[in-house]
Amino acid sequence: MDQKKIGLFLKDLRKEKNITQEMLAEKLNISNRTVSRWETGNNMPDISLLVELSELYHVSIPEIVDGERKSEEMNQETRDTAIKMAEYSKNDVKIEKKKVISFLLMTFGAFFIISAFAIFPNDSSWGSIYSIIGGIILIIGLYFKMKSVVLKKSFRILSVVACILILFGIFSISDYIAVSQYHQVPRFSYEKIYSEDQVEHKTLFYTVVQKNPGTEKERIEIVK
């Protein structure tokens, strides 16, 4: 493939149409510099742009690639193939973008969860709030990831449900360990009942009593 020859051919075709590089760039929604690089042979148009150029200049894609005219009209089969290739190329780009977005979301979600556990103490409601937000972001990222590689919607939904259950299990187990081993209040309690010298923290599986909170005699026990 002689890129210099192709560039001169593209330049001649543009001049035959009596349009400037700026006008062509505007038609194709690209920069003037890109058109200039084509015509000097420093670069080649993408497949999708080859289709548009062939239609604009009324030449076939093989003629553009060879850098010379061979027939009056572009062969329909060649044109259809080029369009399919362009669509396939665009689809590949979309899939790659989804993969990048899903990776960023999953990473950001995991970072949110870890930060919430590390920064906020167990008795702060912000820790549970940020953990849940991080979990939601992580699940959204997983869904996008599954969407880019798995075709069946039912399998994607099952994967998301499995991820939700795993996160729920991790949150529950970490809470239980914090209470039973480190004598901390549960992070994911849905209700707190205050009395004169104690606080009850109710979770889905058990209740934790915090006796004499904030004093030297503070004790934390699981009652059921």
Side-chain angles (χ1 to χ4, degrees), residues 2-168:
D2 189 340
Q3 288 192 197
K4 295 290 184 183
K5 183 179 178 182
I6 295 170
L8 289 173
F9 185 53
L10 289 173
K11 185 176 182 179
D12 291 339
L13 291 171
R14 177 177 58 77
K15 288 184 175 180
E16 286 177 12
K17 280 287 185 179
N18 196 29
I19 58 177
T20 64
Q21 288 186 349
E22 290 78 11
M23 293 168 64
L24 177 62
E26 187 175 349
K27 281 179 178 290
L28 300 178
N29 195 27
I30 55 176
S31 66
N32 300 346
R33 180 176 173 80
T34 300
V35 176
S36 176
R37 289 177 64 83
W38 292 348
E39 295 184 354
T40 55
N42 291 322
N43 207 345
M44 281 286 291
D46 294 335
I47 294 174
S48 57
L49 293 174
L50 280 176
V51 175
E52 295 187 50
L53 288 169
S54 67
E55 292 179 344
L56 178 63
Y57 294 146
H58 300 292
V59 294
S60 68
I61 290 179
E63 285 174 326
I64 294 176
V65 173
D66 290 336
E68 59 185 12
R69 277 194 174 89
K70 292 182 179 179
S71 60
E72 290 297 323
E73 295 183 357
M74 178 180 172
N75 181 272
Q76 185 63 34
E77 185 177 349
T78 304
R79 180 179 179 278
D80 291 343
T81 301
I83 290 173
K84 288 177 182 178
M85 289 175 66
E87 290 174 351
Y88 184 80
S89 178
K90 288 179 180 178
N91 188 51
D92 272 355
V93 171
K94 287 181 181 178
I95 290 174
E96 287 303 317
K97 284 182 178 179
K98 285 181 181 178
K99 287 181 178 179
V100 172
I101 291 171
S102 66
F103 175 77
L104 291 175
L105 285 172
M106 291 171 69
T107 303
F108 188 64
F111 174 77
F112 233 61
I113 294 171
I114 294 170
S115 298
F117 274 56
I119 295 172
F120 296 100
N122 277 38
D123 57 358
S124 171
S125 59
W126 287 108
S128 58
I129 291 171
Y130 278 100
S131 297
I132 293 170
I133 292 173
I136 292 171
I137 295 172
L138 178 63
I139 290 166
I140 292 171
L142 175 67
Y143 182 79
F144 276 109
K145 176 69 175 178
M146 298 301 294
K147 195 173 183 181
S148 65
V149 296
V150 179
L151 296 177
K152 289 186 177 181
K153 187 176 181 180
S154 58
F155 190 80
R156 295 200 302 266
I157 293 172
L158 285 174
S159 299
V160 169
V161 171
C163 183
I164 292 172
L165 292 175
I166 290 170
L167 281 175
F168 178 76

